[in-house]
Amino acid sequence: MNDWPEAWSDDNRGRRYGRGSASAQPESARVMRQVRRGQPTPPGQGAHGSVPQQPGYVDGQGHGGGYDSGYNTGQVYGAGGRGGGDGHGPQRPAPDWRRRIKWTAITLVTVVFVTTVATYFWADSKLNREVDLSKVIERPEKGEGTNYLIVGSDSREGLSAEDKKRLRTGSSEGKRTDSMMILHTGDNGSTLISLPRDSNVEIPTFKGSESGKVYQATGRQVKLNAAYAEDGPELLVRTVEFNTGLYIDHYVEIGFAGFANIVDALGGVEIDIPQDIKDTKSGADLKKGKQTLNGEEALAFVRTRYALAGSDLDRTKNQQKFLSALADQAATPSTVLNPFRLYPTLGAGMDSLIVDKDMGLFDLADMFWSMKGVSGGEGTSMNMPVSGSSGGNLLWDKEKVKQLVDQLNNDEKVTVKGD
């Protein structure tokens, strides 16, 4: 019995899609009729015939060749493209290592350059240019090389009551010079000369740094550190130049707090102490031998005078030795190449130093490198030659001082010996 409506035959049902066949036999696989645009299917190639070859697709109308739809062959759609038709996708080109290395180098150089420039302007902006050497009158003629007047003051500025007690600085108001040195740099090595604070000098005619008033000389003889106490750095420079005949190019000053902070930022400074030192006034309690001093210990070491046989003359030698060691350590790769040590050290130094208005970072770098050279044996360190004392004041040896100044002005190798 035929359940299908009239005009429907088994052949029609064989070509029908979907379910509903009354046959007990399972339906055979059916092939979806190919929908084509173009010529009709040739006779004998219907649904039961072979699968027709699909036309290429070029212009959207089924004309032309070069593209196989892949419906009849099982190929992945789009296969046979750039990857070469092997089913593995496009081949990645080999890396150009030369080009990568070049751009990596360019990037590194750019980063280093930008960081260096930024660091320079940051550090330069932090320098305290407070000393105006244009106020110094009747200056001697400038010689060869460069002369720095380096001053350590007893300023307590920035120290809390607890800091003053810990560092044994006392609580005196104002500030005085605790140490003074001349550093000469030139073509024949560097020379570091300590000027004892008790040196006997004459106060010359000078112009007041604040008032602008000219004070005439009276032949007054005082200790060198009194010049600073009377009218600050400008009068100190004027007094040193008048009594030596040596032109001072730059002025650098650091106080107690700044000195200790720089040492601590460096992680301490290693130095070989020549003898046991115990001084209740400075707080020094140090053993002989090589050791690393922190800021508190270093400050006590450079301030000690009463526990030393040569008093102020021995103290100036210790000061020279320590400052050279500090400069040497500040210039080591472990400091310069370590940003976690370099920037705190720079910050502590720039915040603490007081310099003249014409002082630049390159001048400061020259000063530190020259001090490093002195500690490395490439220069000379000495005290100003002394011939004796009078009333507690140290008298300079005038003949030796003149010879020393002539050698410095001519940038000659220093042969004069000091105490």
Side-chain angles (χ1 to χ4, degrees):
M1 179 178 179
N2 189 346
D3 293 331
W4 295 92
E6 290 186 24
W8 287 82
S9 65
D10 289 338
D11 289 340
N12 294 128
R13 291 198 307 272
R15 295 190 183 97
R16 182 174 174 79
Y17 292 98
R19 303 178 184 275
S21 173
S23 172
Q25 300 296 325
E27 294 180 343
S28 61
R30 296 173 180 163
V31 179
M32 180 181 291
R33 180 188 299 273
Q34 301 295 325
V35 180
R36 303 173 49 120
R37 295 178 182 176
Q39 297 179 358
T41 303
Q45 294 188 6
H48 297 287
S50 62
V51 177
Q53 179 68 35
Q54 298 298 309
Y57 186 87
V58 174
D59 59 1
Q61 300 297 325
H63 300 297
Y67 178 83
D68 189 347
S69 66
Y71 280 118
N72 301 312
T73 62
Q75 291 180 351
V76 177
Y77 204 87
R82 298 182 195 174
D86 60 1
H88 295 289
Q91 296 297 315
R92 182 174 299 174
D96 187 345
W97 289 108
R98 183 175 298 177
R99 184 172 180 271
R100 290 187 181 185
I101 292 173
K102 181 184 77 172
W103 282 106
T104 298
I106 291 174
T107 301
L108 289 175
V109 170
T110 302
V111 169
V112 171
F113 175 77
V114 171
T115 302
T116 302
V117 171
T119 299
Y120 174 86
F121 284 104
W122 168 76
D124 186 72
S125 68
K126 293 176 74 66
L127 271 179
N128 300 307
R129 296 182 173 93
E130 300 178 6
V131 179
D132 189 356
L133 295 184
S134 68
K135 296 179 180 179
V136 181
I137 62 174
E138 301 178 15
R139 309 190 68 182
E141 183 178 352
K142 178 175 170 52
E144 300 294 327
T146 303
N147 298 313
Y148 300 88
L149 181 58
I150 305 170
V151 175
S153 77
D154 65 358
S155 171
R156 280 82 172 169
E157 185 176 352
L159 292 177
S160 64
E162 183 179 346
D163 290 333
K164 293 175 183 178
K165 182 178 179 180
R166 175 175 57 87
L167 298 175
R168 303 286 185 93
T169 64
S171 300
S172 300
E173 297 296 328
K175 58 182 181 179
R176 289 149 292 277
T177 51
D178 210 51
S179 62
M180 290 159 284
M181 303 178 191
I182 293 174
L183 174 67
H184 174 84
T185 65
D187 295 333
N188 286 290
S190 302
T191 304
L192 185 62
I193 308 162
S194 284
L195 308 176
R197 58 181 287 177
D198 294 338
S199 296
N200 188 82
V201 295
E202 178 183 342
I203 297 294
T205 298
F206 70 96
K207 180 188 291 187
S209 59
E210 297 295 333
S211 66
K213 180 181 176 180
V214 175
Y215 297 88
Q216 296 296 329
T218 62
R220 181 162 48 105
Q221 305 288 309
V222 298
K223 291 182 178 181
L224 182 57
N225 65 337
Y228 183 96
E230 186 171 333
D231 198 46
E234 289 83 3
L235 179 54
L236 178 61
V237 170
R238 169 76 175 122
T239 302
V240 169
E241 289 186 342
F242 177 80
N243 285 270
T244 63
L246 193 66
Y247 183 93
I248 300 300
D249 295 278
H250 294 294
Y251 177 92
V252 181
E253 178 186 323
I254 187 169
F256 284 162
F259 181 83
N261 289 339
I262 292 175
V263 173
D264 285 335
L266 282 170
V269 173
E270 186 178 71
I271 188 170
D272 191 359
I273 298 178
Q275 65 181 74
D276 291 349
I277 299 177
K278 189 172 181 63
D279 184 10
T280 57
K281 291 186 178 294
S282 69
D285 187 4
L286 305 169
K287 299 298 182 182
K288 178 181 178 180
K290 184 174 292 186
Q291 56 198 284
T292 298
L293 304 184
N294 60 27
E296 179 181 347
E297 295 166 335
L299 185 59
F301 175 69
V302 299
R303 292 180 62 215
T304 295
R305 63 185 296 197
Y306 296 104
L308 305 176
S311 187
D312 200 37
L313 292 177
D314 282 349
R315 177 171 73 164
T316 56
K317 294 176 183 178
N318 286 343
Q319 290 171 346
Q320 290 179 350
K321 186 174 184 177
F322 187 86
L323 288 179
S324 296
L326 185 151
D328 182 67
Q329 186 158 327
T332 59
S334 63
T335 298
V336 176
L337 301 179
N338 183 354
F340 298 103
R341 179 170 290 179
L342 174 64
Y343 286 100
T345 302
L346 282 175
M350 299 307 161
D351 285 340
S352 307
L353 295 178
I354 295 175
V355 300
D356 64 90
K357 293 183 180 298
D358 295 327
M359 185 82 161
L361 288 182
F362 288 109
D363 299 311
L364 199 60
D366 174 62
M367 185 189 80
F368 272 99
W369 279 105
S370 298
M371 291 180 68
K372 180 179 183 296
V374 171
S375 69
E378 300 172 5
T380 302
S381 61
M382 59 184 290
N383 277 320
M384 187 64 82
V386 174
S387 61
S389 63
S390 176
N393 292 6
L394 294 174
L395 302 176
W396 291 352
D397 186 320
K398 293 184 178 180
E399 290 186 7
K400 286 186 176 181
V401 169
K402 185 180 184 307
Q403 183 182 0
L404 171 64
V405 170
D406 287 342
Q407 290 176 343
L408 295 177
N409 277 330
N410 295 322
D411 197 23
E412 299 172 353
K413 185 174 180 60
V414 172
T415 59
V416 177
K417 302 296 182 181
D419 295 325

